[in-house]
Every structure is written in C-alpha cells, then in structure tokens.
Amino acid sequence: MSSVSTTHIAVLASLLFGAVACSKGQAAQTSPAATEQAAAAAESEPQAPSAADAKREAEEMFRSRCAVCHGEKGLGNGPGSTALNPKPRNYTDGAWQANVTDDQIKNVIMYGGAAAGKSPIMPASPDLQSKPEVVDELVKIVRGFRPH
Ligand code: HEC
C-alpha cells in the first residue's frame, strides 16, 4: 500500500517538475512522455511568438502604408502629404493624443476617415479587420509619437 502511494507521488513529482531528474525506477518510465508534454507546451506557447509577429507586421506596415502620408516621425508631413487638405494627422500633437480614444484610432485605421466623419483621403485598411493584434500594435505605434 505504502509503496503504491510512493510511486504515485514519484510520478506526480516527475510530471510536475518536467521529469528532468529521471534516475529512479518507475518514475523514469513516465519521464519521456512528461518531457514530450513539456516540450509541446513550450512550442505551442502562443503568446510570445504571435505578439512579436504582430508587432513586426505593424512596424513594416506603418513604414509601407502610413508613413507616406503621416511621415516616419508621425509629424503628418510624409512625401504624400503635400497636396492634402486637411493634412494627415500629426501624431505628436499632444492635444489630439489626449482627446482621441484607442477605439477611435482603431476604427479610422480599419474603416478609413470617411466612416469616422474625417477626410476620405485617410484610407481604410479592410485587410486589418481580421488582424486585431496588428491593429493594436499600430495603435501603440501611433501612441508612441505622443510628446512626453
Ligand atoms: C493617403 C494618405 C494617408 C495614408 C496612406 C494614411 N493616412 Fe491616416 N490620415 C490621413 C489624413 C489626411 C488624415 C486626417 C483626416 C482628418 O483630419 O479629417 C488622417 C488621419 C489619421 C488618424 C487620426 C484620426 C482621428 O480620429 O483624428 C489616424 C490615427 C491615422 N490617420 C492613422 C493612419 C494609419 C495607422 C495609417 C496606415 C495604416 C494611415 N493613417 C494611412 C491620410 C493618410
């Protein structure tokens, strides 16, 4: 009886601690499976890699899709901005930053200026409606230009 529960505890311990120390008896038999489980868990950890991907995608998108109007530094003075009226939003405008909500920024990014009662020259990015994590990262980029 007591040997059964000792084994039980050993198996539990090996699962809990990732079966790193697989030196003894029956516990050793379960350790490859436990190790595989731990490896699978590490591989499928969804948060870190996909968050990094979304950030990278947003940064590339900002450079390729937004900076032409809003400028690399967010000043609203990109090469495509000269003939525009109104001008693209200057993200370094502290008053604007203080008054706009993240949801408003998200909406204008996905649905464009016209849908938000703004200039229709601010284009929609319908492809981003299925990529909320990239939109969130774009909002962070826009917020990052806020003056300190
Ligand atoms: C063709 C030029 C152009 C491009 C490209 C462009 N924008 Fe704009 N954007 C504008 C203009 C013009 C406005 C100002 C609209 C207004 O004030 O009526 C604006 C406004 C905005 C605003 C402010 C909205 C508000 O509520 O005041 C945000 C945020 C914004 N753009 C984000 C982006 C992002 C992010 C991208 C890239 C995905 C982008 N824009 C691409 C021209 C552009």
Side-chain angles (χ1 to χ4, degrees), residues 49-73:
S50 79
D53 286 350
K55 185 165 189 267
R56 201 174 316 120
E57 188 171 343
E59 285 167 357
E60 278 165 17
M61 187 168 291
F62 185 80
R63 278 194 296 272
S64 65
R65 204 183 275 190
C66 317
V68 62
C69 289
H70 290 276
E72 292 279 349
K73 299 206 156 70

PDB file of all heavy atoms in Angstrom, residues 49-73:
ATOM      1  N   PRO A  49       5.451  34.380 -29.463  1.00  0.00           N
ATOM      2  CA  PRO A  49       5.798  34.489 -30.879  1.00  0.00           C
ATOM      3  C   PRO A  49       4.786  35.303 -31.666  1.00  0.00           C
ATOM      4  O   PRO A  49       5.165  36.154 -32.448  1.00  0.00           O
ATOM      5  CB  PRO A  49       5.824  33.044 -31.375  1.00  0.00           C
ATOM      6  CG  PRO A  49       5.797  32.197 -30.163  1.00  0.00           C
ATOM      7  CD  PRO A  49       5.208  33.007 -29.061  1.00  0.00           C
ATOM      8  N   SER A  50       3.465  35.085 -31.446  1.00  0.00           N
ATOM      9  CA  SER A  50       2.494  35.777 -32.276  1.00  0.00           C
ATOM     10  C   SER A  50       2.452  37.267 -31.949  1.00  0.00           C
ATOM     11  O   SER A  50       2.247  38.090 -32.825  1.00  0.00           O
ATOM     12  CB  SER A  50       1.117  35.138 -32.155  1.00  0.00           C
ATOM     13  OG  SER A  50       0.488  35.556 -30.976  1.00  0.00           O
ATOM     14  N   ALA A  51       2.681  37.619 -30.682  1.00  0.00           N
ATOM     15  CA  ALA A  51       2.728  39.038 -30.317  1.00  0.00           C
ATOM     16  C   ALA A  51       3.911  39.718 -31.011  1.00  0.00           C
ATOM     17  O   ALA A  51       3.786  40.830 -31.521  1.00  0.00           O
ATOM     18  CB  ALA A  51       2.826  39.196 -28.802  1.00  0.00           C
ATOM     19  N   ALA A  52       5.042  39.021 -31.056  1.00  0.00           N
ATOM     20  CA  ALA A  52       6.222  39.579 -31.724  1.00  0.00           C
ATOM     21  C   ALA A  52       5.965  39.720 -33.218  1.00  0.00           C
ATOM     22  O   ALA A  52       6.353  40.718 -33.830  1.00  0.00           O
ATOM     23  CB  ALA A  52       7.438  38.702 -31.463  1.00  0.00           C
ATOM     24  N   ASP A  53       5.272  38.723 -33.804  1.00  0.00           N
ATOM     25  CA  ASP A  53       4.951  38.785 -35.231  1.00  0.00           C
ATOM     26  C   ASP A  53       4.052  39.974 -35.542  1.00  0.00           C
ATOM     27  O   ASP A  53       4.276  40.696 -36.510  1.00  0.00           O
ATOM     28  CB  ASP A  53       4.223  37.510 -35.679  1.00  0.00           C
ATOM     29  CG  ASP A  53       5.165  36.324 -35.781  1.00  0.00           C
ATOM     30  OD1 ASP A  53       6.392  36.533 -35.693  1.00  0.00           O
ATOM     31  OD2 ASP A  53       4.664  35.203 -35.945  1.00  0.00           O
ATOM     32  N   ALA A  54       3.040  40.171 -34.701  1.00  0.00           N
ATOM     33  CA  ALA A  54       2.096  41.268 -34.926  1.00  0.00           C
ATOM     34  C   ALA A  54       2.823  42.608 -34.853  1.00  0.00           C
ATOM     35  O   ALA A  54       2.564  43.514 -35.642  1.00  0.00           O
ATOM     36  CB  ALA A  54       0.971  41.215 -33.895  1.00  0.00           C
ATOM     37  N   LYS A  55       3.756  42.714 -33.915  1.00  0.00           N
ATOM     38  CA  LYS A  55       4.498  43.962 -33.748  1.00  0.00           C
ATOM     39  C   LYS A  55       5.333  44.234 -35.003  1.00  0.00           C
ATOM     40  O   LYS A  55       5.335  45.340 -35.533  1.00  0.00           O
ATOM     41  CB  LYS A  55       5.390  43.842 -32.511  1.00  0.00           C
ATOM     42  CG  LYS A  55       6.131  45.104 -32.161  1.00  0.00           C
ATOM     43  CD  LYS A  55       6.670  45.004 -30.734  1.00  0.00           C
ATOM     44  CE  LYS A  55       7.228  46.320 -30.250  1.00  0.00           C
ATOM     45  NZ  LYS A  55       8.654  46.464 -30.469  1.00  0.00           N
ATOM     46  N   ARG A  56       6.016  43.174 -35.462  1.00  0.00           N
ATOM     47  CA  ARG A  56       6.857  43.336 -36.653  1.00  0.00           C
ATOM     48  C   ARG A  56       5.999  43.700 -37.858  1.00  0.00           C
ATOM     49  O   ARG A  56       6.341  44.583 -38.636  1.00  0.00           O
ATOM     50  CB  ARG A  56       7.618  42.033 -36.917  1.00  0.00           C
ATOM     51  CG  ARG A  56       8.846  42.220 -37.782  1.00  0.00           C
ATOM     52  CD  ARG A  56       9.659  40.933 -37.902  1.00  0.00           C
ATOM     53  NE  ARG A  56       9.811  40.234 -36.646  1.00  0.00           N
ATOM     54  CZ  ARG A  56       9.379  38.991 -36.414  1.00  0.00           C
ATOM     55  NH1 ARG A  56       8.766  38.306 -37.350  1.00  0.00           N
ATOM     56  NH2 ARG A  56       9.566  38.424 -35.235  1.00  0.00           N
ATOM     57  N   GLU A  57       4.862  43.006 -37.998  1.00  0.00           N
ATOM     58  CA  GLU A  57       3.978  43.285 -39.140  1.00  0.00           C
ATOM     59  C   GLU A  57       3.478  44.733 -39.099  1.00  0.00           C
ATOM     60  O   GLU A  57       3.423  45.412 -40.122  1.00  0.00           O
ATOM     61  CB  GLU A  57       2.802  42.297 -39.132  1.00  0.00           C
ATOM     62  CG  GLU A  57       1.947  42.399 -40.380  1.00  0.00           C
ATOM     63  CD  GLU A  57       0.903  41.281 -40.475  1.00  0.00           C
ATOM     64  OE1 GLU A  57       1.035  40.263 -39.769  1.00  0.00           O
ATOM     65  OE2 GLU A  57      -0.036  41.448 -41.275  1.00  0.00           O
ATOM     66  N   ALA A  58       3.143  45.199 -37.897  1.00  0.00           N
ATOM     67  CA  ALA A  58       2.641  46.572 -37.756  1.00  0.00           C
ATOM     68  C   ALA A  58       3.734  47.577 -38.090  1.00  0.00           C
ATOM     69  O   ALA A  58       3.476  48.601 -38.737  1.00  0.00           O
ATOM     70  CB  ALA A  58       2.120  46.789 -36.338  1.00  0.00           C
ATOM     71  N   GLU A  59       4.950  47.294 -37.656  1.00  0.00           N
ATOM     72  CA  GLU A  59       6.053  48.225 -37.938  1.00  0.00           C
ATOM     73  C   GLU A  59       6.321  48.321 -39.436  1.00  0.00           C
ATOM     74  O   GLU A  59       6.505  49.415 -39.974  1.00  0.00           O
ATOM     75  CB  GLU A  59       7.324  47.786 -37.190  1.00  0.00           C
ATOM     76  CG  GLU A  59       7.254  48.103 -35.709  1.00  0.00           C
ATOM     77  CD  GLU A  59       8.334  47.412 -34.876  1.00  0.00           C
ATOM     78  OE1 GLU A  59       9.125  46.623 -35.455  1.00  0.00           O
ATOM     79  OE2 GLU A  59       8.376  47.650 -33.675  1.00  0.00           O
ATOM     80  N   GLU A  60       6.310  47.146 -40.098  1.00  0.00           N
ATOM     81  CA  GLU A  60       6.520  47.149 -41.556  1.00  0.00           C
ATOM     82  C   GLU A  60       5.374  47.879 -42.247  1.00  0.00           C
ATOM     83  O   GLU A  60       5.592  48.651 -43.183  1.00  0.00           O
ATOM     84  CB  GLU A  60       6.599  45.716 -42.088  1.00  0.00           C
ATOM     85  CG  GLU A  60       7.984  45.116 -41.898  1.00  0.00           C
ATOM     86  CD  GLU A  60       7.993  43.604 -42.072  1.00  0.00           C
ATOM     87  OE1 GLU A  60       7.023  43.065 -42.652  1.00  0.00           O
ATOM     88  OE2 GLU A  60       8.963  42.971 -41.615  1.00  0.00           O
ATOM     89  N   MET A  61       4.163  47.619 -41.767  1.00  0.00           N
ATOM     90  CA  MET A  61       3.007  48.246 -42.384  1.00  0.00           C
ATOM     91  C   MET A  61       3.035  49.763 -42.195  1.00  0.00           C
ATOM     92  O   MET A  61       2.707  50.511 -43.107  1.00  0.00           O
ATOM     93  CB  MET A  61       1.730  47.673 -41.778  1.00  0.00           C
ATOM     94  CG  MET A  61       0.496  48.153 -42.499  1.00  0.00           C
ATOM     95  SD  MET A  61      -0.943  47.209 -42.001  1.00  0.00           S
ATOM     96  CE  MET A  61      -0.588  45.619 -42.715  1.00  0.00           C
ATOM     97  N   PHE A  62       3.440  50.202 -41.016  1.00  0.00           N
ATOM     98  CA  PHE A  62       3.493  51.641 -40.792  1.00  0.00           C
ATOM     99  C   PHE A  62       4.433  52.295 -41.807  1.00  0.00           C
ATOM    100  O   PHE A  62       4.108  53.317 -42.406  1.00  0.00           O
ATOM    101  CB  PHE A  62       3.934  51.981 -39.355  1.00  0.00           C
ATOM    102  CG  PHE A  62       3.857  53.458 -39.108  1.00  0.00           C
ATOM    103  CD1 PHE A  62       2.640  54.057 -38.820  1.00  0.00           C
ATOM    104  CD2 PHE A  62       4.981  54.265 -39.231  1.00  0.00           C
ATOM    105  CE1 PHE A  62       2.541  55.438 -38.654  1.00  0.00           C
ATOM    106  CE2 PHE A  62       4.893  55.644 -39.061  1.00  0.00           C
ATOM    107  CZ  PHE A  62       3.667  56.229 -38.768  1.00  0.00           C
ATOM    108  N   ARG A  63       5.593  51.668 -41.998  1.00  0.00           N
ATOM    109  CA  ARG A  63       6.564  52.225 -42.958  1.00  0.00           C
ATOM    110  C   ARG A  63       6.035  52.190 -44.382  1.00  0.00           C
ATOM    111  O   ARG A  63       6.205  53.143 -45.138  1.00  0.00           O
ATOM    112  CB  ARG A  63       7.882  51.459 -42.881  1.00  0.00           C
ATOM    113  CG  ARG A  63       8.773  51.929 -41.736  1.00  0.00           C
ATOM    114  CD  ARG A  63      10.195  51.421 -41.879  1.00  0.00           C
ATOM    115  NE  ARG A  63      10.255  49.962 -41.791  1.00  0.00           N
ATOM    116  CZ  ARG A  63      10.390  49.300 -40.639  1.00  0.00           C
ATOM    117  NH1 ARG A  63      10.502  49.961 -39.507  1.00  0.00           N
ATOM    118  NH2 ARG A  63      10.424  47.983 -40.627  1.00  0.00           N
ATOM    119  N   SER A  64       5.387  51.063 -44.765  1.00  0.00           N
ATOM    120  CA  SER A  64       4.993  50.922 -46.164  1.00  0.00           C
ATOM    121  C   SER A  64       3.647  51.561 -46.473  1.00  0.00           C
ATOM    122  O   SER A  64       3.385  51.941 -47.601  1.00  0.00           O
ATOM    123  CB  SER A  64       4.967  49.439 -46.554  1.00  0.00           C
ATOM    124  OG  SER A  64       3.967  48.766 -45.820  1.00  0.00           O
ATOM    125  N   ARG A  65       2.771  51.693 -45.477  1.00  0.00           N
ATOM    126  CA  ARG A  65       1.404  52.104 -45.777  1.00  0.00           C
ATOM    127  C   ARG A  65       1.017  53.442 -45.153  1.00  0.00           C
ATOM    128  O   ARG A  65       0.126  54.113 -45.661  1.00  0.00           O
ATOM    129  CB  ARG A  65       0.445  51.011 -45.270  1.00  0.00           C
ATOM    130  CG  ARG A  65      -0.869  50.994 -45.977  1.00  0.00           C
ATOM    131  CD  ARG A  65      -1.782  49.957 -45.378  1.00  0.00           C
ATOM    132  NE  ARG A  65      -1.582  48.617 -45.921  1.00  0.00           N
ATOM    133  CZ  ARG A  65      -2.408  47.592 -45.676  1.00  0.00           C
ATOM    134  NH1 ARG A  65      -3.469  47.763 -44.925  1.00  0.00           N
ATOM    135  NH2 ARG A  65      -2.173  46.403 -46.184  1.00  0.00           N
ATOM    136  N   CYS A  66       1.632  53.826 -44.065  1.00  0.00           N
ATOM    137  CA  CYS A  66       1.174  55.010 -43.332  1.00  0.00           C
ATOM    138  C   CYS A  66       2.155  56.175 -43.449  1.00  0.00           C
ATOM    139  O   CYS A  66       1.746  57.336 -43.527  1.00  0.00           O
ATOM    140  CB  CYS A  66       0.978  54.697 -41.851  1.00  0.00           C
ATOM    141  SG  CYS A  66       0.148  53.126 -41.527  1.00  0.00           S
ATOM    142  N   ALA A  67       3.451  55.842 -43.436  1.00  0.00           N
ATOM    143  CA  ALA A  67       4.468  56.899 -43.375  1.00  0.00           C
ATOM    144  C   ALA A  67       4.434  57.802 -44.600  1.00  0.00           C
ATOM    145  O   ALA A  67       4.799  58.973 -44.502  1.00  0.00           O
ATOM    146  CB  ALA A  67       5.863  56.284 -43.213  1.00  0.00           C
ATOM    147  N   VAL A  68       3.958  57.272 -45.737  1.00  0.00           N
ATOM    148  CA  VAL A  68       3.913  58.099 -46.945  1.00  0.00           C
ATOM    149  C   VAL A  68       3.089  59.364 -46.692  1.00  0.00           C
ATOM    150  O   VAL A  68       3.403  60.435 -47.221  1.00  0.00           O
ATOM    151  CB  VAL A  68       3.376  57.292 -48.163  1.00  0.00           C
ATOM    152  CG1 VAL A  68       1.959  56.823 -47.923  1.00  0.00           C
ATOM    153  CG2 VAL A  68       3.465  58.104 -49.445  1.00  0.00           C
ATOM    154  N   CYS A  69       2.092  59.279 -45.875  1.00  0.00           N
ATOM    155  CA  CYS A  69       1.298  60.463 -45.528  1.00  0.00           C
ATOM    156  C   CYS A  69       1.664  61.008 -44.144  1.00  0.00           C
ATOM    157  O   CYS A  69       1.854  62.207 -43.975  1.00  0.00           O
ATOM    158  CB  CYS A  69      -0.194  60.138 -45.557  1.00  0.00           C
ATOM    159  SG  CYS A  69      -0.837  59.876 -47.235  1.00  0.00           S
ATOM    160  N   HIS A  70       1.723  60.121 -43.162  1.00  0.00           N
ATOM    161  CA  HIS A  70       1.914  60.589 -41.784  1.00  0.00           C
ATOM    162  C   HIS A  70       3.365  60.865 -41.428  1.00  0.00           C
ATOM    163  O   HIS A  70       3.636  61.483 -40.389  1.00  0.00           O
ATOM    164  CB  HIS A  70       1.306  59.585 -40.793  1.00  0.00           C
ATOM    165  CG  HIS A  70      -0.199  59.567 -40.856  1.00  0.00           C
ATOM    166  ND1 HIS A  70      -0.987  60.457 -40.165  1.00  0.00           N
ATOM    167  CD2 HIS A  70      -1.047  58.783 -41.564  1.00  0.00           C
ATOM    168  CE1 HIS A  70      -2.269  60.210 -40.441  1.00  0.00           C
ATOM    169  NE2 HIS A  70      -2.333  59.197 -41.282  1.00  0.00           N
ATOM    170  N   GLY A  71       4.296  60.423 -42.292  1.00  0.00           N
ATOM    171  CA  GLY A  71       5.710  60.685 -42.027  1.00  0.00           C
ATOM    172  C   GLY A  71       6.319  59.634 -41.102  1.00  0.00           C
ATOM    173  O   GLY A  71       5.634  59.120 -40.217  1.00  0.00           O
ATOM    174  N   GLU A  72       7.589  59.317 -41.333  1.00  0.00           N
ATOM    175  CA  GLU A  72       8.300  58.323 -40.497  1.00  0.00           C
ATOM    176  C   GLU A  72       8.254  58.730 -39.031  1.00  0.00           C
ATOM    177  O   GLU A  72       8.226  57.901 -38.140  1.00  0.00           O
ATOM    178  CB  GLU A  72       9.776  58.211 -40.925  1.00  0.00           C
ATOM    179  CG  GLU A  72      10.001  57.611 -42.304  1.00  0.00           C
ATOM    180  CD  GLU A  72       9.936  56.080 -42.308  1.00  0.00           C
ATOM    181  OE1 GLU A  72       9.915  55.483 -41.216  1.00  0.00           O
ATOM    182  OE2 GLU A  72       9.892  55.507 -43.412  1.00  0.00           O
ATOM    183  N   LYS A  73       8.271  60.038 -38.776  1.00  0.00           N
ATOM    184  CA  LYS A  73       8.284  60.517 -37.392  1.00  0.00           C
ATOM    185  C   LYS A  73       6.891  60.919 -36.906  1.00  0.00           C
ATOM    186  O   LYS A  73       6.755  61.536 -35.848  1.00  0.00           O
ATOM    187  CB  LYS A  73       9.241  61.702 -37.264  1.00  0.00           C
ATOM    188  CG  LYS A  73      10.682  61.339 -37.625  1.00  0.00           C
ATOM    189  CD  LYS A  73      11.666  62.258 -36.912  1.00  0.00           C
ATOM    190  CE  LYS A  73      13.036  61.629 -36.757  1.00  0.00           C
ATOM    191  NZ  LYS A  73      13.770  61.508 -38.041  1.00  0.00           N
TER     192      LYS A  73
END
